[in-house]
Structure formats: structure tokens, C-alpha cells
Amino acid sequence: MEERIKRIYVPMTETGFYILFCLQEEMHGYNIGQRVKQMTGGEVTISPGTMYGTLSKMEKDGLIRFVREEEKRKLYIITEPGREILDIELRRIERLYKNSKGEYKDGR
């Protein structure tokens, strides 16, 4: 993976995280927005401008790829570099959570 991509995406924005997380299965932008709203109990919403701008940037950077168009909606899925970025971010979030609970690496 390119270091440039890593520097751009890690740490991730909440929007970027949820988009990559959702795209572990084929989805279009509207569906992603609905899924994020459901997952977060309505606490996080992604505006259409942010959604489609982020999808476009992630596609250009190779984190997601266009799969097909279905009823005028573009479906995307995560790529291997996208999966690597998502995994890095999941480990980072897990580390933050553990540290906040006092579960340090040295076992204290």
C-alpha cells in the first residue's frame, strides 16, 4: 500500500470509516446512508454531497471500485487496499478503546 494513501486516510474521518465499513458488501450511496443511520441510531448522517464526494475520492484512490449500475444507482465494493486501510483503522479504534478502559499493552 502506498504511504501517501495511508497518510491521507489514517486516522479516518467517521464518514470515511462508515463508508468503507459498509462497502464490505456491494452497496450504493443511498443504501450506505441508510445503513449508517441505522447502525448509529440516527446519530450519524452522511449528506449526499459528502457521500458522493467521498465515494468519488475513494474510488480515485483505489480504496473502492465501481461494480455495476442498478436502477441508475452505482454500486461499489471495497478493494484490497481499502480493506487494509479499514483494518488499520479498526485496530486503531480498538487500541483507543482498550486504553480508555485501562487495558494497556503491558498488562496493567
Side-chain angles (χ1 to χ4, degrees):
M1 158 167 330
E2 285 183 48
E3 274 304 308
R4 178 187 74 81
I5 296 296
K6 207 184 231 183
R7 281 194 312 272
I8 291 170
Y9 288 97
V10 178
M12 295 190 85
T13 64
E14 199 166 14
T15 297
F17 172 81
Y18 279 116
I19 288 173
L20 277 185
F21 187 82
C22 287
L23 287 177
Q24 293 178 90
E25 60 183 83
E26 289 181 12
M27 256 184 233
H28 53 74
Y30 178 77
N31 192 228
I32 294 167
Q34 293 302 304
R35 179 77 53 89
V36 169
K37 202 175 200 180
Q38 180 185 34
M39 287 169 60
T40 64
E43 289 185 29
V44 176
T45 56
I46 304 173
S47 72
T50 300
M51 174 70 70
Y52 295 105
T54 303
L55 286 171
S56 177
K57 181 168 177 25
M58 286 182 164
E59 183 180 23
K60 180 178 158 257
D61 289 338
L63 302 185
I64 64 173
R65 69 177 173 80
F66 171 76
V67 177
R68 69 180 183 282
E69 195 166 315
E70 193 174 274
E71 298 178 15
K72 297 186 180 182
R73 293 185 170 163
K74 292 181 176 182
L75 281 89
Y76 297 92
I77 195 150
I78 195 168
T79 61
E80 190 55 39
R83 164 55 64 193
E84 288 177 40
I85 290 290
L86 182 60
D87 288 345
I88 290 167
E89 186 64 6
L90 285 166
R91 285 192 305 271
R92 187 185 76 81
I93 292 167
E94 185 176 14
R95 184 185 71 244
L96 289 171
Y97 177 76
K98 284 181 177 180
N99 286 336
S100 75
K101 298 295 182 193
E103 300 172 24
Y104 304 106
K105 277 197 174 206
D106 64 5
R108 285 192 274 161

